[in-house]
Structures are given as C-alpha cells and as structure tokens.
Amino acid sequence: MNCKITALDANGQPIAGANITLDESYSVTPLNGTVQLLTVRPERSTLTVYHPDYVRETVHFSGTITGGEWDNALLEVQPEIRVDEATLTIRLGRCILAPTSEISGEDMIALAQKKGDVRGVVVGRLDRDPKRKAYREHKHNSKPVEVAAPILIPENYPPEEAAGWRRFETRPPAVPNDSKSTKPLVEVVDEGRFLWLMYPHKPSGPQYAVLVWSPNLPLKDPPPTLDMILFYPPTTEQDSYSVPYPFGVQMFTPKDPDQPYMSLGIKYLGEENGFYYQLIAQRRSAVLIMPICNYGDYGPFTRGEGVLRLCREVSLLLHRERRTTKLSLPSTLGGLDPAYTLAGASLRDFPFLLYSSASSAPPQVGSIALSFYSNSARPVKSLMPSSSYPIKDSRFPKPLFGCPDPEQIWRSTWRELWDMDGFHPGTGTWLAYLPLLATWFSAHPARIIRLCHSSGRSPRDVDSDPHPLFKTLRSTLNFTRKVPSTRDSKKLARNVPSASEWHGERWSVVRFDNGYVSHLPPGKEGPKKVGWQVPVLVPPWADAHQATPRVAFSHFLAMSELGKTK
C-alpha cells in the first residue's frame, strides 16, 4: 500500500524534519511535512513518527490501514479511490503526562528533610478505595456543593446567625441526567480526571508543570471545540517554595512531607477551593487549566500566543488520551487499568492500548476565560495590553511555543476575565490596572469583565468611581443591589458588614466588607469567627481574602456560557 503521510503540530502547521517509519520504509519530512511511504504488509502495520522537539508517536494497526483499527487517536486515515492508496495525517504535541513516583512514606520524609527532588508526582492508595491509586494530594471525596446564583447578594440582609453561603444567593447543584439521587453531592471520581502535565515534554530547556481537570465527555465524536478556563494561582516566589521545581518535597509539619508545587492543585482546583466541584455541579464541559510558575517565572504564559499554544497543546493531549469522546468513560476504558486512571495513567503506556477506527482531528480551542486570584494579577495584567500577543523571550522560540495566527484570533478567543480578589503588589495600584481593563474590554465586542473583591483589596465603587472605565460600565448598568439597604440599616440600628453588586452589558462587579464573609455581625459577645462549616468559606485560620475565590469562581461560572451543552 502506498501511503501519503503528513506530520502536523498543534497549530495544524507542517513539521519539517520528522522521522517517519512505516514498517520497513523510512523517510524524513521536507518543509511541507509530507512523505510517501510504501508498505507490503497486508495488515498489522506499525507507524512511528519522531522529531526531537515533539512527543514521539507510535501507531499499531490491528487490521489493514484503511479497513482496521489503530491505537492512536492523533492519526487520521483517509482512504483514496484506489484501494492500494491512503492518506494519513499524524499530529505531534509537546505535552506529556508528568512522571509519577510511588515513593514510600519513610523515604519521602527522609527526602523532605533535606528538601530533595522526588522527580515525579507522588501517588498512593486512594483512601476511599484502596484498590485504586491516585495523586497523593487528591482525595477525590464526594462533597456537598452549593452553587452561587447569577445574582449573588440577597435582596434582604441575612439574619445575624447566617454564615458562610447563607450570606449569598445559592442554588443546589444540577443532578446528572442519569442520576436518581437528589442529594446535593458531587462525585468527582465519576465525572472526570486530574492530569498533571509537563510542558514542553523535554527538560532540556525551561519546563513547566500544568494541572488539567478534564471532564468526562459522553460523546460518540469529539466536539468541534473545547472551552477552557485558565486559572493563574498566586506566585510561588516565596520561601515556602524553595525546593526543586516542580517535584521537590519538604516537611509541611514535623510528620507530614509535602510537594508544595503539586499541592497547589488540591488547594485551588480541588477540595479546598473546589473549582472543579463547581464545574461538575454546574454540569460544564469546560477544561480547567492551571499553569504552575517556577518560583515566580510564568514562562510563555504571559504572552497571548503562548497561552493559545498551551491550550492547543492541551486539546491535542486530551485527544491522544481519548478524553474527547465517550471512549474515556470508566465503562469503556479498554486497556487502561481503572486502578491507575486517577494516578496519571496514559494510553501511551504499554499495555494500556485502546483500539478504534475513529478518525478525527482534535477539537479546536473554543472560548477562553482567564481567571486569577490575589497577586497572580501580575501575569494576567501582562496579557492585557494590545502589544502583549507575540512571544519575545528568546527562551521560547515561536515555532515551538507560539502560534502563526494573527492577534485577532486571540482577541476573539479570550472572551472572559475573572478577577477574584486580585491585587497589585509591585505592578502598580488600581490606577495602573484600570486602564488595562479598559483597553482589554474595548478590544473585542464579546469580551466580558467579572470582578469580585473583599474590602481588604480596596475595591472600587461603581456608582462613584470617576475612572473612564466605570463611566463606560455605568452606561449599560441594568441591575444594582446593596445590603444593608437604607431601610435595613434603620431596622438593624447598628453597623453591620455590607455588600454591593452591579450588573451591566458584558460586566459585573461584586464587593463586600471583609466581615460580610469572614465574621458574624457583632452581637452581645462581640465578633464571632465563622467556624468550620460544610461547605467551608473561611477555615478558622484564614480570612475573607481566602474565602473570596470560593464565592467568586462559582458566581462567575454561573453567569458564563463556557462549557454549557450546546
């Protein structure tokens, strides 16, 4: 059989210099990325594609090339009119699943005491199901979840005993279509997978850890697009991250070792702040991506084309792992051992092979929301100017970390900005931030601004702020709510924490006093700290700043169209 074989990257661009082997035939791709190879095997052929800048791909065919099945979703097969000809397209990516380590507790403590490097994400037995393994910090527990309503602040001031979510308008989570339960519990194990990635795949240059929440998609064919939410956690440029990046380990308590960079996953996406619980509860198919900075270095993720390329690389990897169709569901995992699906198992790993005749390109990147919390305003602010699209850092060559697309593609793709109690140490105050917001907002007619701040971060008053951005926002104002209202204030006859909310065309702003979320109103016994509740907004050792992203992410998602079933 005569096969025309083309190698493409995540941008859909041809790859020159790729070594392609089809059974006994071999060639190297020219500039157009295409070679012609001949195989005399009637069936069970093997295709291998290798380039040093990309992840090696191997394809095993179980029958004929055009009439059988194969074990790699990145291959597209198109039969030609002649039965002895075929056109093959293979895509090469630059992301891989992160290595894992099953280091013992004793050895991990010994390594942590000298701040050593585990050289992989630590995995262990899952407490709730010891037959399965999972990333060490991810417990995958079922949790009760409340979903913030699109209008967050209640119409009337909450009663004095109200605390946590009782200070806000909420609704129960959506119940899965196939579920008979009406209990508001989110079952993580049945809904998706955490995947720790390394980007790029080789440690020869700068390499970054990226955590992805990939929802199960009960689809026969891949969707044409995947919406994505990127979350920038606060900078790791502090002493608590002075271990080898990203798998270093240190002692968290005298008896508890910790991988601080890896622990960011559970802190924000997982059990503590519950971002992926909210995605499940609101039945969203958006992919959640969290790049982890290397002691303050965000690498290519501070430029528009760097972020767009990352999203395309994630889509390609998810497609390779069959995470874009129902083939990824637990009942159809084929060769992937269920005992390891929560611990970084990959369909690249023998014998975890899954054969199919499905032939389709990876989903395109749909709409993107960029979200940030606390001092991670810095990398997002660097993305907002009109000049921030092209990569200019020589460490990240454009063909490998960038995109050939014009800036207009990025402008139309980055649709939403979610500011969750962001503040601006070292990058200017609100006075430097507001002009960037105004520029970003006006750059495309579909862009949306979401702001939610506690009083400790000096939030602006939409009604009175003189900045031109707020004048623009006020021109489309269509909803305002404040508690306590003038009527409530007279009734309460004392000072209580307040909250305000404004909505307009393509924007919303929420601000509340620290005490509104972190303390009960002062009573006869003085201020009372909110205790450990279910779901918790503020742990006993935290404050309103830590509570804000839990409220804001749920609220912003409730108003967003990202990941909604079309």
Side-chain angles (χ1 to χ4, degrees), residues 160 494 520-528:
E160 182 169 338
R494 56 183 170 82
L520 294 171
K524 293 181 179 179
E525 301 175 6
K528 300 177 182 178

Side-chain angles (χ1 to χ4, degrees), residues 527-559:
K528 300 177 182 178
K529 194 79 171 179
V530 173
W532 191 278
Q533 306 165 58
V534 181
V536 174
L537 285 182
V538 182
W541 59 83
D543 58 23
H545 185 50
Q546 280 76 23
T548 301
R550 306 176 187 211
V551 177
F553 188 92
S554 180
H555 177 51
F556 294 165
L557 186 63
M559 293 184 287

Side-chain angles (χ1 to χ4, degrees), residues 131-430:
K131 295 180 180 179
R132 305 186 71 178
K133 294 187 177 182
Y135 295 132
R136 180 177 180 266
E137 299 296 334
H138 299 270
K139 306 304 181 184
H140 298 277
N141 293 323
S142 301
K143 287 186 63 174
V145 172
E146 294 189 61
V147 174
I151 301 299
L152 183 65
I153 305 301
E155 184 175 0
N156 298 311
Y157 198 83
E160 182 169 338
E161 66 272 12
W165 281 111
R166 301 285 69 78
R167 294 289 184 90
F168 301 99
E169 294 287 350
T170 64
R171 57 190 181 187
V175 178
N177 294 332
D178 58 351
S179 174
K180 297 180 181 179
S181 173
T182 58
K183 297 176 67 176
L185 289 175
V186 167
E187 181 59 78
V188 178
V189 173
D190 297 335
E191 300 292 343
R193 284 181 65 190
F194 267 122
L195 298 169
W196 274 109
L197 314 181
M198 296 306 298
Y199 175 68
H201 64 298
K202 290 169 54 176
S204 54
Q207 192 180 35
Y208 298 88
V210 179
L211 181 59
V212 172
W213 165 254
S214 168
N216 290 340
L217 301 179
L219 306 172
K220 179 182 178 182
D221 300 310
T225 61
L226 284 176
D227 290 341
M228 298 184 176
I229 302 171
L230 270 76
F231 170 67
Y232 285 76
T235 180
T236 56
E237 194 173 3
Q238 49 187 292
D239 291 344
S240 56
Y241 295 93
S242 57
V243 297
Y245 176 88
F247 305 121
V249 62
Q250 63 186 6
M251 296 305 296
F252 180 66
T253 68
K255 296 183 179 181
D256 185 18
D258 175 53
Q259 286 186 293
Y261 287 103
M262 300 294 97
S263 293
L264 289 171
I266 201 65
K267 179 177 180 64
Y268 293 107
L269 273 58
E271 275 88 344
E272 188 170 327
N273 278 281
F275 291 174
Y276 70 80
Y277 283 94
Q278 286 294 332
L279 285 165
I280 297 169
Q282 299 192 38
R283 312 308 300 167
R284 301 301 181 91
S285 61
V287 176
L288 185 55
I289 302 172
M290 184 172 73
I292 307 298
C293 67
N294 182 355
Y295 201 74
D297 175 17
Y298 289 92
F301 312 133
T302 61
R303 311 298 290 185
E305 65 173 325
V307 174
L308 185 57
R309 178 64 176 264
L310 171 65
C311 292
R312 288 174 174 172
E313 294 287 353
V314 168
S315 178
L316 189 147
L317 181 137
L318 294 179
H319 195 63
R320 175 65 177 90
E321 297 292 339
R322 305 281 188 183
R323 298 292 306 155
T324 56
T325 69
K326 66 181 179 181
L327 287 176
S328 68
L329 300 186
S331 60
T332 57
L333 281 175
L336 194 59
D337 188 344
Y340 288 89
T341 56
L342 304 178
S346 172
L347 290 174
R348 297 182 191 276
D349 300 332
F350 184 83
F352 299 155
L353 306 179
L354 182 58
Y355 285 84
S356 173
S357 60
S359 182
S360 58
Q364 297 291 312
V365 176
S367 297
I368 294 175
L370 290 192
S371 59
F372 64 93
Y373 162 62
S374 193
N375 60 21
S376 60
R378 177 168 64 91
V380 177
K381 286 166 70 175
S382 69
L383 286 160
M384 295 170 70
S386 56
S387 60
S388 65
Y389 178 70
I391 291 179
K392 298 179 180 179
D393 191 327
S394 61
R395 297 179 300 164
F396 309 110
K398 183 183 180 72
L400 300 179
F401 290 91
C403 300
D405 310 76
E407 183 183 355
Q408 288 80 357
I409 299 298
W410 170 238
R411 288 184 182 182
S412 63
T413 302
W414 181 11
R415 291 294 183 89
E416 302 189 21
L417 183 145
W418 298 1
D419 179 345
M420 301 184 290
D421 225 23
F423 73 111
H424 314 280
T427 60
T429 64
W430 277 86

Side-chain angles (χ1 to χ4, degrees), residues 40-110:
V40 297
R41 292 190 187 182
E43 56 183 37
R44 304 190 71 82
S45 291
T46 300
L47 172 68
T48 302
V49 185
Y50 169 73
H51 189 289
D53 293 326
Y54 299 86
V55 181
R56 179 194 298 267
E57 293 296 345
T58 299
V59 185
H60 302 96
F61 293 87
S62 64
T64 65
I65 289 177
T66 57
E69 296 182 327
W70 54 93
D71 65 350
N72 191 322
L74 296 182
L75 180 72
E76 298 171 68
V77 177
Q78 180 181 343
E80 298 296 338
I81 296 177
R82 291 173 57 98
V83 295
D84 60 345
E85 293 183 352
T87 296
L88 311 181
T89 302
I90 184 77
R91 296 173 190 265
L92 303 184
R94 288 172 47 76
C95 274
I96 59 169
L97 291 179
T100 58
S101 171
E102 295 189 42
I103 186 173
S104 68
E106 293 80 3
D107 289 344
M108 189 173 176
I109 289 175

